[in-house]
Amino acid sequence: MTSLQHAAREVERSLAPARARDVVGAYLALTKPRIIELLLVTTIPAMFLAAGGVPDLGLVLVTLLAGALAAASANAFNCVLDRDIDELMRRTRRRPLPRHQVGTAAAVVFASLLGVASTVVFLVAVNWLSAVLALAANAFYVFVYTMWLKRRFSQNIVWGGIAGCFPPLIGWTAVTGELSWAPWVLFAIVFFWTPPHTWALAIRYRADYAAAGVPMLPVVLPAPGVTIRILAYSVLTVAVSLLLWPVAGTGWLYPVVAAVLGAAFLVEAVRLHLRAKAGLVDTELKPMRLFHWSNSYLALLFIAAAVDPLLR
């Protein structure tokens, strides 16, 4: 072997781990891990609330695994179906499919295997009701939101966001095997929270959505019209969050935390609307302040719901 051939072999060996990491990273990116994290944040507290304390930790882990697989499957299918518009948007053009890091057929197989694995884990280790709810959430996200609502209606996220409301139902049924009013209140909290959260992001990337032909509300409506709706949904979110207190019979911690967090959420929504009324647009509106705060709001609210039964 010549020295040149030997050097080429050494270079090839050194690149192999990097290529493997790139492939794994590309498939992981298809699952949108940040979205999965947010969904799981609403699953665990529902399990604590349903158990009236600490649920079986083995059940928690297997439910999180199955839920993560289900969400990963739905997100991967979303990447496949949205690959054309993702290529047109600055925020999404670096996803694996627009960059041709993963083939379309391979992504479909990957998403399908994740969905099958999720259903098997739910059926074997949790229960059939949780499995059905997870399948319903995925079907709604892929077929109703991604394939129908997203590209046709300005209220797409209002109804499409229903898919993201299922994790509290799944967490509750994993523990109890049945549904009751409390998990539906948790469902409603996420439902009313989703439009302010998403529209704040859509304001920031309004030009991207417009270029891709996606009729998000900030694309079709002036900023003050969007922000007043953000404020209205924020009020509904806070009101419904306080409803959990009597419905679930929580202790003192949850309503106190819900009231404080809700007040802060409404202050930020009011500030955003006032900036819009003053004539500021796009990034000048600072919509990402509300977007990031909405993430913290939901996480802290659900953590309070999980901790509350531990104090009783």
Side-chain angles (χ1 to χ4, degrees):
M1 181 185 296
T2 67
S3 59
L4 185 60
Q5 289 174 321
H6 179 74
R9 291 268 181 97
E10 288 298 316
V11 170
E12 187 175 350
R13 289 194 196 99
S14 67
L15 288 176
R19 289 171 182 161
R21 285 196 299 271
D22 289 342
V23 171
V24 171
Y27 277 95
L28 182 63
L30 284 176
T31 69
K32 303 181 184 179
R34 296 295 298 274
I35 294 178
I36 293 176
E37 290 174 12
L38 191 61
L39 294 175
L40 297 184
V41 161
T42 62
T43 303
I44 300 174
M47 299 183 75
F48 275 72
L49 200 59
V54 181
D56 179 88
L57 295 182
L59 178 63
V60 172
L61 290 176
V62 77
T63 302
L64 291 182
L65 172 62
L69 290 170
S73 172
N75 290 335
F77 275 122
N78 174 265
C79 284
V80 171
L81 294 168
D82 278 355
R83 63 191 184 279
D84 57 332
I85 59 176
D86 282 348
E87 200 164 5
L88 299 174
M89 297 174 63
R90 287 173 301 168
R91 185 174 66 87
T92 57
R93 64 177 53 154
R94 294 186 63 80
R95 286 177 178 171
L97 286 169
R99 295 181 67 188
H100 306 290
Q101 294 175 308
V102 178
T104 302
V108 170
V109 171
F110 177 62
S112 301
L113 290 175
L114 289 172
V116 170
S118 168
T119 304
V120 170
V121 174
F122 268 124
L123 289 174
V124 172
V126 187
N127 58 54
W128 69 268
L129 182 54
S130 296
V132 169
L133 289 170
L135 284 171
N138 278 14
F140 196 94
Y141 184 65
V142 173
F143 294 106
V144 178
Y145 173 65
T146 304
M147 295 183 69
W148 181 45
L149 294 173
K150 184 173 182 178
R151 304 188 189 216
R152 290 174 174 84
F153 305 102
S154 62
Q155 297 292 311
N156 48 21
I157 197 61
V158 175
W159 302 109
I162 288 174
C165 303
F166 275 79
L169 303 183
I170 294 168
W172 186 280
T173 56
V175 173
T176 66
E178 61 184 14
L179 286 168
S180 61
W181 283 112
W184 284 112
V185 174
L186 296 174
F187 179 102
I189 292 171
V190 181
F191 176 80
F192 289 116
W193 167 89
T194 300
H197 171 75
T198 309
W199 286 336
L201 182 69
I203 290 173
R204 170 65 179 83
Y205 293 101
R206 183 183 63 81
D208 267 8
Y209 284 111
V214 179
M216 298 295 289
L217 194 66
V219 174
V220 301
L221 201 66
V226 179
T227 56
I228 193 64
R229 286 163 175 78
I230 286 176
L231 179 56
Y233 274 98
S234 299
V235 170
L236 289 170
T237 302
V238 175
V240 173
S241 73
L242 293 172
L243 185 61
L244 186 66
W245 176 22
V247 170
T250 69
W252 62 269
L253 177 68
Y254 175 79
V256 170
V257 172
V260 172
L261 291 174
F265 193 15
L266 293 180
V267 166
E268 195 59 52
V270 169
R271 286 175 174 169
L272 178 62
H273 181 56
L274 291 177
R275 289 194 292 270
K277 286 185 66 177
L280 302 181
V281 295
D282 295 345
T283 54
E284 295 176 336
L285 279 171
K286 301 178 182 177
M288 296 305 286
R289 285 181 51 171
L290 179 64
F291 174 79
H292 291 306
W293 169 243
S294 66
N295 280 331
S296 300
Y297 167 84
L298 192 70
L300 293 172
L301 183 73
F302 272 74
I303 288 171
V307 173
D308 187 273
L310 302 181
L311 301 181
R312 287 181 278 150

